Amino acid sequence: MFTVHSETSTSCMTDIAAVREAMNRAAHPALLMVDAISSLGCAEYRQDEWGVDVTIAGSQKGLMVPPGLSFTAISDKALAASRAGGSRRSYWDWEPLVASNKTGFFPYTPAINLLYALNEALDMLAEEGLSTVFARHERYARATRLAVAAWGLDLQCLDPSAYAPGVTAIRTPEGHSADGLRAVILEQFNMSLGNGLGRIEDRVFRIGHMGDLGVLSFTGTLTGVEMGLRAAGIPHKAGGVQAAMNFLASAAA
Amino acid sequence: MFTVHSETSTSCMTDIAAVREAMNRAAHPALLMVDAISSLGCAEYRQDEWGVDVTIAGSQKGLMVPPGLSFTAISDKALAASRAGGSRRSYWDWEPLVASNKTGFFPYTPAINLLYALNEALDMLAEEGLSTVFARHERYARATRLAVAAWGLDLQCLDPSAYAPGVTAIRTPEGHSADGLRAVILEQFNMSLGNGLGRIEDRVFRIGHMGDLGVLSFTGTLTGVEMGLRAAGIPHKAGGVQAAMNFLASAAA
Amino acid sequence: MFTVHSETSTSCMTDIAAVREAMNRAAHPALLMVDAISSLGCAEYRQDEWGVDVTIAGSQKGLMVPPGLSFTAISDKALAASRAGGSRRSYWDWEPLVASNKTGFFPYTPAINLLYALNEALDMLAEEGLSTVFARHERYARATRLAVAAWGLDLQCLDPSAYAPGVTAIRTPEGHSADGLRAVILEQFNMSLGNGLGRIEDRVFRIGHMGDLGVLSFTGTLTGVEMGLRAAGIPHKAGGVQAAMNFLASAAA
Amino acid sequence: MFTVHSETSTSCMTDIAAVREAMNRAAHPALLMVDAISSLGCAEYRQDEWGVDVTIAGSQKGLMVPPGLSFTAISDKALAASRAGGSRRSYWDWEPLVASNKTGFFPYTPAINLLYALNEALDMLAEEGLSTVFARHERYARATRLAVAAWGLDLQCLDPSAYAPGVTAIRTPEGHSADGLRAVILEQFNMSLGNGLGRIEDRVFRIGHMGDLGVLSFTGTLTGVEMGLRAAGIPHKAGGVQAAMNFLASAAA
């Protein structure tokens, strides 16, 4: 069973514990594999408690490291399955790394510079404290949604219990290209926003608010979106930044 | 005659050409020495055309280099005066550097790293183009003043023809500490603003908008001030950031 | 047919053109795939001229970039084979990257920072000139072999026509641990040398002399080896560094 | 009384305690001011114990920081004299900094980046331990003198008790330009050596062996000098690097 903890393009969270519970109720023997790339470091993640067998994650989102590292967390059950499995492939073979883990060496050339960066990033997370980090992400996410509401735009994620803390996908009004808006914002305000993928291509733009992001860089991001909506002629109401500021100034006080 | 081109603490410009003209009208033989520390790289400066004898400047403002370098531009008249003058002092002796200028060497240990930074900064200024750089400063300064007007606060500089392009000093309402506001903004929004000096100590705070500053970093700065005014309980009206955004989005389009 | 252009652990080059010629003589339809990881940027490499179908290379050797990037060069024949082949696997599927090559985008998250580094590294290679770069590697390799001869040690590579320009593997005398020597050099002189792999584990140590390596960093490396041989009690004659210096000083003059 | 602790150009140390003792014997009231620029961090320095009144030092030598900071240590006696003295000058006025020392602020714009570097450098010195740092400098200095002796060249400093630990000035044979040698070494081996000043201009070249210098960077430096002597046609005997290596390999073992 493959699923995604935080689906970046739609900005919806999956309730991993509920997925496992459903699998258990059905007494299904499948392994549960989760993509936690854009949630790790932004939100609680409980591999053991939730019964996840394999988690994959990346360095370039909540862990605040340049792209180039990926991480795999493996349950004993998944490890046993990999050893017993048929159709074995070198690419999926965890053994060399599992064996090397004992000594801390790598079986292949490691991306050394990124490991130094990761070390520093983990220190930063520990220093701020994970619960503070998660609360910061929730605060930025809520401020973003307040801005979106003030602009009169729609979130892609319709279920409030599934709002992602690290990224928010926003729909442009029918007939208005999200990619056109992104192009205007890049050109005029030097800010690159994420796009929609697959069925929501050109229908959403994404505001990332994860990782090493100070509050004024975050509000600066919102000003870029609001000025971009205006410059691109997207129907909206002013006041999104104001709504976010009102909330953040109260939250800070 | 000593004067300052851009007086940082008040954010007022001095009309250097007019000062020289007045000196000329009075047929006064004094040398004209100008502190251009916070204006060089932010606004036009014409040493020869304006009849300046000595200009001193620094690396850490419009030139966008870390602090540590200062620059002295000397007219032939000033150089002759320094050679003929009485009460000579080693500190004021330009000769070793003037002699070294021919070869490009330094008579003392130079701050090498900062010279590399300066080289890069001058390339950046040349690439953007000085007229574009100056226009950008004017645009940010105007956006700042629109925000101040919307907040219902007063500028320290009362003469519109003397508004500085690189920094804007803003008065807090009577009875409200500017330094207290600065402390709240530093504490809650991690932004350090300049203070008032001398007679306007604790009466003004300064928004610097000079040098290597992207438009969204600038608007982010304004959001920090507006949220800080609210968090610090300084009487003001909301809408300053909105006013700045309205102007900047139009200017960009 | 898989082969390695420069086999790092033994420091032997393979004559790729000769391999292809033998395949052609046998009229064998196999594709020729070459690992050029430790030769690219150190020595001539001619994919088309030599009839190579697939070359893989890495960023962290002659290209002087931190580890983290790999490169694949594919002949039309290999691309056609990959499209027609059975037992297709996602890991071996070049299509998404081939399709993206037209626009310069990446189908997945790219290691952006390393791409900036690569850009700079390619500029450095172009500025020095490939023929100068290759000659520099040959000069260091020859100086290394002169040092090895003076020390009275043996090269792992027995064929002078196969000496690698970027790395030289050296055998410790029978009964003396190469890994022990490497440990002494790391501990006492803070220099980490490469080791032997497989059958020559603990029998050779490697001096890398590739990439962004100035002549005095190179000779400094040799001093570390010579002092290490002495400190570790490996039987050898002094004079290796002297022999290398004699050659390099003449080559420089 | 002005003197220099380590005179860079000649590489001779002054016995500061002996200078003070002589002043005391003569019951002379003069203040003792010492330039410790190229000794601080390389050798013991005891302001209070030696009875120094004013010490000035710089960031760019034993403290391993880029050039741009200077330090002044002032005795109570010197501070009292500065307050009571006639002919006061702004340049010599310590009061603003003395007053600011209590709060840690600077009365003027500080070179912030260099203060971060200094903080790191002091951590490095504390981590290695001052006695280890001083011993390392002595070891490199001795290795350098062994190389010089092997080359058959003369040291500028004739008194063994005055050899500087951080730098060694070496005389070229009569009739051979030291600056010509330095030019060859810069051109062919990309290494810039210090020159002689004043009466020993063009007669000596200096090998600096201070600060953040690993042992193989140091021996690499010596190889550059030995290859340079050869390339420049300076009469000398080979074997300087060998002599240094023999000593260092024994010292390490």
Side-chain angles (χ1 to χ4, degrees):
Chain A
M1 175 74 164
F2 288 80
T3 187
V4 175
H5 189 212
S6 168
E7 211 287 308
T8 305
S9 178
T10 58
S11 308
C12 293
M13 301 292 285
T14 303
D15 183 341
I16 303 298
V19 171
R20 167 52 75 190
E21 206 182 334
M23 293 169 71
N24 287 348
R25 272 198 310 269
H28 198 288
L31 296 171
L32 175 57
M33 178 163 168
V34 179
D35 165 347
I37 291 172
S38 69
S39 65
L40 198 70
C42 304
E44 284 286 353
Y45 189 81
R46 303 274 178 190
Q47 162 120 354
D48 295 337
E49 198 176 315
W50 295 346
V52 178
D53 291 303
V54 181
T55 301
I56 56 167
S59 55
Q60 78 276 17
K61 301 279 188 178
L63 295 186
M64 313 179 291
V65 169
L69 295 178
S70 76
F71 310 97
T72 310
I74 311 170
S75 71
D76 290 339
K77 186 176 160 194
L79 198 57
S82 83
R83 285 167 176 161
S87 186
R88 306 186 66 168
R89 288 157 190 218
S90 175
Y91 182 63
W92 287 101
D93 186 3
W94 294 320
E95 294 301 327
L97 268 164
V98 167
S100 293
N101 265 351
K102 285 162 198 139
T103 61
F105 283 95
F106 269 71
Y108 319 112
T109 302
I112 288 281
N113 302 46
L114 295 175
L115 293 175
Y116 279 104
L118 178 63
N119 196 52
E120 191 68 22
L122 294 177
D123 280 352
M124 288 166 69
L125 287 172
E127 195 180 332
E128 188 175 352
L130 275 185
S131 61
T132 310
V133 169
F134 295 158
R136 174 166 55 80
H137 282 87
E138 288 294 352
R139 199 161 58 242
Y140 291 176
R142 186 165 164 204
T144 302
R145 294 191 299 264
L146 288 168
V148 172
W151 291 325
L153 300 180
D154 292 327
L155 299 171
Q156 174 64 29
C157 180
L158 295 176
D159 176 0
S161 73
Y163 290 152
V167 60
T168 300
I170 302 159
R171 296 179 66 86
T172 43
E174 208 63 43
H176 292 273
S177 162
D179 290 345
L181 170 64
R182 293 171 53 242
V184 164
I185 292 175
L186 179 58
E187 168 67 21
Q188 296 192 11
F189 304 105
N190 197 25
M191 179 166 70
S192 174
L193 296 175
N195 60 333
L197 302 174
R199 282 165 49 196
I200 56 174
E201 193 180 337
D202 200 26
R203 297 297 302 113
V204 310
F205 62 95
R206 284 182 272 140
I207 299 178
H209 33 74
M210 65 177 57
D212 183 27
L213 181 70
V215 60
L216 301 189
S217 295
F218 166 64
T219 50
T221 298
L222 295 183
T223 63
V225 174
E226 183 159 338
M227 290 193 287
L229 290 167
R230 181 181 171 124
I234 305 283
H236 74 289
K237 284 172 283 186
V241 172
Q242 189 71 53
M245 287 196 297
N246 292 348
F247 167 66
L248 290 167
S250 309
Chain B
M1 177 73 165
F2 288 80
T3 187
V4 176
H5 189 213
S6 167
E7 212 288 306
T8 305
S9 178
T10 57
S11 308
C12 294
M13 301 292 283
T14 303
D15 183 341
I16 302 298
V19 171
R20 166 51 75 188
E21 206 183 336
M23 292 169 72
N24 287 348
R25 273 199 310 268
H28 198 288
L31 296 170
L32 175 57
M33 177 164 170
V34 178
D35 166 345
I37 290 172
S38 69
S39 66
L40 198 70
C42 303
E44 284 285 355
Y45 189 80
R46 303 273 178 191
Q47 162 120 354
D48 295 336
E49 197 177 314
W50 295 346
V52 179
D53 292 303
V54 182
T55 300
I56 56 167
S59 55
Q60 78 277 15
K61 300 278 187 175
L63 295 186
M64 312 178 292
V65 169
L69 294 178
S70 77
F71 310 97
T72 310
I74 311 169
S75 71
D76 290 340
K77 186 177 160 192
L79 197 57
S82 84
R83 285 167 175 161
S87 186
R88 308 184 66 168
R89 287 155 191 220
S90 174
Y91 182 62
W92 288 100
D93 187 4
W94 294 320
E95 295 300 328
L97 267 165
V98 167
S100 292
N101 265 351
K102 285 163 197 137
T103 61
F105 283 94
F106 270 72
Y108 320 112
T109 301
I112 288 280
N113 302 46
L114 295 175
L115 293 175
Y116 280 104
L118 178 63
N119 196 53
E120 191 68 20
L122 294 177
D123 280 352
M124 289 166 68
L125 287 172
E127 196 181 332
E128 188 175 352
L130 275 185
S131 62
T132 311
V133 169
F134 295 158
R136 173 167 54 80
H137 283 88
E138 288 294 352
R139 199 161 59 242
Y140 290 175
R142 186 165 163 203
T144 302
R145 295 191 300 265
L146 289 168
V148 172
W151 290 326
L153 300 180
D154 293 326
L155 300 170
Q156 175 62 31
C157 180
L158 297 175
D159 177 1
S161 73
Y163 290 152
V167 60
T168 300
I170 303 159
R171 296 179 65 86
T172 43
E174 207 64 43
H176 292 274
S177 162
D179 290 345
L181 169 64
R182 292 172 53 242
V184 164
I185 291 174
L186 179 58
E187 169 68 20
Q188 296 192 12
F189 304 105
N190 197 26
M191 178 166 71
S192 174
L193 296 175
N195 62 331
L197 302 174
R199 281 165 49 195
I200 56 174
E201 192 180 338
D202 200 25
R203 298 295 302 112
V204 311
F205 63 95
R206 284 181 273 139
I207 299 178
H209 32 75
M210 65 176 58
D212 183 25
L213 181 70
V215 59
L216 300 189
S217 296
F218 166 64
T219 51
T221 298
L222 296 183
T223 63
V225 174
E226 184 160 336
M227 289 193 288
L229 290 167
R230 182 181 170 124
I234 306 283
H236 74 287
K237 284 170 284 187
V241 171
Q242 189 70 54
M245 287 196 295
N246 292 348
F247 167 66
L248 290 167
S250 308
Chain C
M1 175 72 163
F2 288 80
T3 187
V4 175
H5 188 213
S6 167
E7 210 289 305
T8 306
S9 178
T10 57
S11 308
C12 294
M13 301 292 283
T14 303
D15 184 339
I16 302 298
V19 170
R20 166 52 73 189
E21 207 181 337
M23 292 169 71
N24 287 349
R25 273 198 309 270
H28 198 288
L31 296 170
L32 174 58
M33 177 164 169
V34 178
D35 165 346
I37 291 173
S38 68
S39 65
L40 198 71
C42 303
E44 284 285 355
Y45 189 79
R46 303 273 177 189
Q47 162 119 353
D48 295 335
E49 198 176 314
W50 295 345
V52 178
D53 291 303
V54 181
T55 300
I56 56 168
S59 55
Q60 79 277 17
K61 301 279 187 176
L63 295 186
M64 311 178 293
V65 169
L69 294 178
S70 76
F71 310 96
T72 310
I74 310 169
S75 71
D76 289 340
K77 185 177 161 193
L79 198 56
S82 83
R83 286 168 175 162
S87 187
R88 307 185 67 168
R89 288 157 191 220
S90 175
Y91 182 62
W92 288 100
D93 187 3
W94 294 321
E95 294 301 325
L97 268 164
V98 166
S100 293
N101 264 352
K102 285 163 198 139
T103 62
F105 284 95
F106 269 72
Y108 319 112
T109 302
I112 288 279
N113 301 46
L114 295 175
L115 293 176
Y116 280 104
L118 178 64
N119 196 51
E120 191 68 21
L122 294 178
D123 280 352
M124 289 167 69
L125 288 172
E127 195 182 333
E128 187 174 352
L130 274 184
S131 62
T132 311
V133 168
F134 296 158
R136 173 165 56 80
H137 282 89
E138 287 295 351
R139 199 160 59 241
Y140 290 176
R142 186 166 164 202
T144 302
R145 295 191 299 264
L146 289 167
V148 172
W151 290 326
L153 300 180
D154 292 327
L155 299 170
Q156 175 64 30
C157 180
L158 296 176
D159 176 1
S161 73
Y163 290 153
V167 59
T168 300
I170 302 159
R171 296 180 65 86
T172 43
E174 207 65 44
H176 292 273
S177 162
D179 290 345
L181 170 65
R182 292 171 53 243
V184 165
I185 291 174
L186 179 59
E187 168 67 21
Q188 296 192 14
F189 304 106
N190 197 26
M191 180 167 69
S192 174
L193 296 174
N195 61 332
L197 301 174
R199 281 164 50 195
I200 56 175
E201 192 181 335
D202 200 27
R203 297 297 301 115
V204 310
F205 63 96
R206 285 182 272 139
I207 299 178
H209 33 74
M210 65 176 59
D212 183 26
L213 181 70
V215 60
L216 301 188
S217 295
F218 166 65
T219 51
T221 298
L222 295 183
T223 64
V225 174
E226 183 159 338
M227 289 192 289
L229 290 167
R230 183 183 170 122
I234 306 283
H236 75 289
K237 284 171 284 188
V241 172
Q242 189 70 55
M245 286 196 296
N246 293 349
F247 166 65
L248 290 168
S250 309
Chain D
M1 177 72 164
F2 288 81
T3 187
V4 175
H5 189 213
S6 167
E7 211 288 307
T8 306
S9 177
T10 58
S11 308
C12 293
M13 301 292 284
T14 303
D15 183 340
I16 302 297
V19 171
R20 166 52 75 190
E21 206 182 336
M23 292 169 72
N24 287 348
R25 272 199 310 270
H28 198 289
L31 296 170
L32 175 57
M33 178 164 169
V34 179
D35 166 346
I37 290 172
S38 69
S39 64
L40 198 71
C42 303
E44 284 285 355
Y45 189 79
R46 302 275 179 189
Q47 161 120 354
D48 295 336
E49 197 176 316
W50 295 346
V52 179
D53 291 302
V54 181
T55 300
I56 57 168
S59 55
Q60 79 276 17
K61 301 278 187 178
L63 295 186
M64 312 179 292
V65 170
L69 294 178
S70 77
F71 310 97
T72 309
I74 310 169
S75 71
D76 289 340
K77 186 176 160 193
L79 198 56
S82 84
R83 285 167 176 162
S87 185
R88 307 184 66 167
R89 288 155 190 222
S90 175
Y91 182 62
W92 288 100
D93 187 3
W94 294 320
E95 295 301 326
L97 267 164
V98 167
S100 293
N101 265 352
K102 284 162 198 138
T103 61
F105 283 95
F106 270 72
Y108 319 112
T109 301
I112 288 279
N113 301 47
L114 295 175
L115 294 175
Y116 279 103
L118 178 64
N119 196 53
E120 191 68 22
L122 294 177
D123 279 352
M124 288 166 69
L125 287 171
E127 195 181 333
E128 187 174 352
L130 274 185
S131 62
T132 310
V133 169
F134 296 158
R136 174 166 55 80
H137 282 88
E138 287 294 351
R139 198 161 59 244
Y140 290 176
R142 186 165 164 203
T144 302
R145 295 191 299 265
L146 289 168
V148 172
W151 290 326
L153 300 180
D154 292 326
L155 299 169
Q156 175 63 28
C157 179
L158 296 176
D159 177 1
S161 73
Y163 290 151
V167 60
T168 300
I170 302 160
R171 296 179 66 86
T172 43
E174 207 65 44
H176 292 273
S177 161
D179 290 344
L181 170 64
R182 294 171 52 244
V184 164
I185 292 174
L186 179 58
E187 169 67 20
Q188 295 192 12
F189 304 106
N190 197 24
M191 179 166 70
S192 173
L193 296 174
N195 61 332
L197 302 174
R199 282 166 49 197
I200 56 175
E201 192 180 337
D202 199 26
R203 297 297 301 112
V204 311
F205 62 96
R206 286 181 271 141
I207 299 177
H209 33 73
M210 64 177 59
D212 182 26
L213 182 70
V215 59
L216 300 189
S217 295
F218 166 65
T219 51
T221 298
L222 295 182
T223 63
V225 174
E226 184 159 338
M227 289 193 288
L229 290 167
R230 181 181 172 126
I234 305 282
H236 74 289
K237 285 171 283 187
V241 172
Q242 189 70 54
M245 286 196 296
N246 292 349
F247 167 66
L248 290 167
S250 309

